[in-house]
Coordinates of all heavy atoms in Angstrom, one line a residue:
T1 N 87.9 48.9 133.6 CA 88.9 48.5 132.6 C 90.3 48.7 133.3 O 90.6 49.7 133.9 CB 88.8 49.4 131.4 OG1 89.0 50.8 131.8 CG2 87.5 49.2 130.7
L2 N 91.1 47.6 133.2 CA 92.4 47.7 133.7 C 93.3 48.7 133.0 O 94.2 49.3 133.6 CB 93.1 46.3 133.6 CG 92.4 45.2 134.5 CD1 93.1 43.9 134.3 CD2 92.4 45.6 136.0
S3 N 93.0 49.0 131.8 CA 93.8 50.0 131.0 C 93.7 51.4 131.6 O 94.6 52.1 131.7 CB 93.4 50.0 129.6 OG 92.1 50.3 129.4
R4 N 92.5 51.7 132.1 CA 92.3 53.0 132.8 C 93.2 53.1 134.0 O 93.9 54.1 134.2 CB 90.8 53.1 133.1 CG 90.5 54.4 134.0 CD 89.1 54.5 134.3 NE 88.3 54.9 133.1 CZ 87.0 55.2 133.1 NH1 86.4 55.2 134.3 NH2 86.4 55.5 132.0
R5 N 93.2 52.1 134.9 CA 94.0 52.1 136.0 C 95.5 52.2 135.7 O 96.3 52.9 136.2 CB 93.7 50.9 137.0 CG 92.4 51.1 137.7 CD 92.2 50.0 138.7 NE 91.1 50.4 139.6 CZ 90.7 49.6 140.6 NH1 91.4 48.5 140.9 NH2 89.7 50.0 141.4
G6 N 95.8 51.4 134.7 CA 97.2 51.4 134.2 C 97.7 52.7 133.7 O 98.8 53.1 134.0
L7 N 96.8 53.4 133.0 CA 97.2 54.7 132.5 C 97.4 55.7 133.6 O 98.4 56.4 133.7 CB 96.0 55.2 131.6 CG 96.1 56.7 131.2 CD1 97.3 56.9 130.3 CD2 94.8 57.1 130.4
L8 N 96.5 55.7 134.6 CA 96.7 56.6 135.8 C 97.9 56.3 136.6 O 98.6 57.2 137.1 CB 95.4 56.5 136.6 CG 94.2 57.1 135.9 CD1 92.9 56.7 136.7 CD2 94.2 58.6 135.9
L9 N 98.2 55.0 136.8 CA 99.3 54.6 137.6 C 100.6 55.1 136.9 O 101.5 55.6 137.5 CB 99.4 53.1 137.8 CG 98.4 52.5 138.8 CD1 98.3 51.0 138.7 CD2 98.9 52.9 140.2
G10 N 100.7 54.9 135.6 CA 101.9 55.3 134.9 C 102.1 56.8 134.8 O 103.2 57.3 135.0
A11 N 101.0 57.5 134.6 CA 101.1 59.0 134.4 C 101.4 59.7 135.7 O 102.2 60.7 135.7 CB 99.8 59.5 133.8
A12 N 100.8 59.3 136.8 CA 101.0 60.0 138.0 C 102.3 59.9 138.6 O 102.7 60.7 139.5 CB 99.9 59.5 139.0
S13 N 103.1 58.9 138.2 CA 104.4 58.7 138.9 C 105.4 59.8 138.6 O 106.4 59.9 139.2 CB 105.0 57.4 138.4 OG 105.3 57.4 137.0
V14 N 105.1 60.7 137.6 CA 106.0 61.8 137.3 C 105.6 63.1 137.9 O 106.3 64.1 137.7 CB 106.1 62.0 135.7 CG1 106.7 60.7 135.1 CG2 104.8 62.4 135.1
I15 N 104.6 63.1 138.7 CA 104.1 64.3 139.4 C 105.2 64.7 140.4 O 105.6 63.9 141.2 CB 102.8 64.1 140.1 CG1 101.7 63.8 139.0 CG2 102.4 65.4 140.9 CD1 100.4 63.4 139.6
P16 N 105.6 66.0 140.4 CA 106.6 66.4 141.4 C 106.1 66.5 142.8 O 104.9 66.6 143.0 CB 107.0 67.9 140.9 CG 105.8 68.3 140.2 CD 105.2 67.1 139.5
A17 N 107.0 66.4 143.8 CA 106.6 66.4 145.2 C 106.0 67.7 145.5 O 106.5 68.8 145.1 CB 107.8 66.1 146.1
A18 N 105.0 67.7 146.4 CA 104.5 69.0 146.9 C 105.5 69.7 147.8 O 106.3 69.1 148.5 CB 103.2 68.7 147.7
G19 N 105.5 71.0 147.8 CA 106.4 71.8 148.6 C 106.1 71.8 150.1 O 104.9 71.5 150.5
L20 N 107.1 72.0 150.9 CA 106.9 72.0 152.3 C 106.9 73.4 152.9 O 107.6 74.3 152.4 CB 108.0 71.2 153.0 CG 108.0 69.7 152.7 CD1 109.3 69.1 153.3 CD2 106.8 69.1 153.4
A21 N 106.1 73.7 153.9 CA 106.1 75.0 154.5 C 107.4 75.2 155.3 O 108.0 74.2 155.8 CB 104.9 75.1 155.5
A22 N 107.9 76.4 155.4 CA 109.1 76.6 156.1 C 108.9 76.5 157.6 O 107.9 76.8 158.1 CB 109.6 78.1 155.8
C23 N 110.0 75.9 158.2 CA 109.9 75.8 159.7 C 110.4 77.1 160.3 O 111.1 77.9 159.7 CB 110.9 74.7 160.1 SG 110.4 73.0 159.4
S24 N 110.0 77.3 161.5 CA 110.3 78.5 162.2 C 111.7 78.5 162.7 O 112.3 79.6 163.0 CB 109.3 78.7 163.4 OG 109.4 77.6 164.3
R25 N 112.4 77.4 162.9 CA 113.8 77.4 163.3 C 114.4 76.1 162.7 O 113.7 75.2 162.2 CB 113.9 77.3 164.8 CG 113.3 76.1 165.5 CD 113.6 76.0 167.0 NE 113.1 74.9 167.6 CZ 113.8 73.7 167.6 NH1 114.9 73.5 167.0 NH2 113.3 72.7 168.3
G26 N 115.7 76.1 162.7 CA 116.4 75.0 162.2 C 116.3 73.7 163.1 O 116.0 73.8 164.3
P27 N 116.6 72.6 162.5 CA 116.5 71.3 163.3 C 117.6 71.2 164.4 O 118.7 71.6 164.1 CB 116.6 70.2 162.3 CG 117.4 70.8 161.2 CD 117.0 72.3 161.2
A28 N 117.2 70.6 165.5 CA 118.2 70.3 166.5 C 118.8 69.0 166.2 O 118.2 68.1 165.7 CB 117.6 70.3 167.9
P29 N 120.1 68.7 166.6 CA 120.7 67.4 166.4 C 119.9 66.3 167.2 O 119.5 66.6 168.3 CB 122.1 67.6 167.0 CG 122.4 69.1 167.0 CD 121.0 69.7 167.2
L30 N 119.7 65.2 166.6 CA 119.0 64.1 167.2 C 120.0 63.3 168.0 O 121.1 63.1 167.7 CB 118.3 63.3 166.1 CG 117.2 63.9 165.4 CD1 116.7 62.9 164.3 CD2 116.0 64.2 166.3
V31 N 119.4 62.8 169.1 CA 120.1 61.7 169.9 C 120.0 60.4 169.1 O 118.8 60.0 168.8 CB 119.5 61.6 171.3 CG1 120.2 60.4 172.0 CG2 119.6 62.8 172.1
T32 N 121.1 59.8 168.8 CA 121.0 58.5 168.0 C 121.3 57.3 168.9 O 122.1 57.4 169.9 CB 122.0 58.5 166.8 OG1 123.3 58.8 167.3 CG2 121.6 59.6 165.8
P33 N 120.7 56.2 168.6 CA 120.9 55.0 169.5 C 122.3 54.5 169.5 O 123.1 54.6 168.5 CB 120.0 54.0 168.9 CG 119.0 54.7 168.0 CD 119.8 55.9 167.5
T34 N 122.7 53.9 170.6 CA 124.0 53.2 170.7 C 123.9 51.9 169.9 O 122.9 51.3 169.9 CB 124.3 52.9 172.2 OG1 124.4 54.1 172.9 CG2 125.7 52.2 172.3
A35 N 125.0 51.6 169.2 CA 124.9 50.4 168.4 C 124.7 49.2 169.2 O 125.2 49.0 170.3 CB 126.3 50.3 167.6
V36 N 123.8 48.3 168.7 CA 123.4 47.1 169.4 C 124.0 45.9 168.7 O 123.9 45.9 167.4 CB 121.8 47.0 169.4 CG1 121.4 45.7 170.2 CG2 121.2 48.2 170.1
P37 N 124.6 45.0 169.4 CA 125.3 43.9 168.7 C 124.3 43.1 167.8 O 123.1 42.8 168.3 CB 125.8 43.0 169.9 CG 125.9 44.0 171.0 CD 124.9 45.0 170.8
T38 N 124.6 42.8 166.6 CA 123.7 42.1 165.7 C 123.6 40.6 166.2 O 122.7 39.9 165.7 CB 124.3 42.1 164.3 OG1 125.6 41.5 164.3 CG2 124.3 43.5 163.8
T39 N 124.4 40.2 167.1 CA 124.2 38.8 167.7 C 123.1 38.7 168.7 O 122.7 37.6 169.1 CB 125.5 38.4 168.4 OG1 125.9 39.4 169.3 CG2 126.7 38.2 167.3
D40 N 122.6 39.9 169.2 CA 121.5 39.9 170.1 C 120.2 39.5 169.3 O 120.1 39.6 168.1 CB 121.2 41.3 170.6 CG 122.3 41.7 171.6 OD1 123.2 40.9 171.9 OD2 122.2 42.8 172.2

């Protein structure tokens, strides 16, 4: 029955995100790419 799937799809969307384990150290700054011309 489509109603069963519809019920589950609608209800599950409000479930909170699962928690994350703590990292052992803080993040290091990332190297970010040099801007590439959009004309390429």
Side-chain angles (χ1 to χ4, degrees):
T1 60
L2 294 178
S3 58
R4 172 177 290 187
R5 285 187 168 182
L7 172 63
L8 291 165
L9 283 166
S13 63
V14 299
I15 297 173
L20 293 172
C23 299
S24 58
R25 66 172 181 82
L30 291 176
V31 176
T32 57
T34 302
V36 181
T38 57
T39 54
D40 288 2

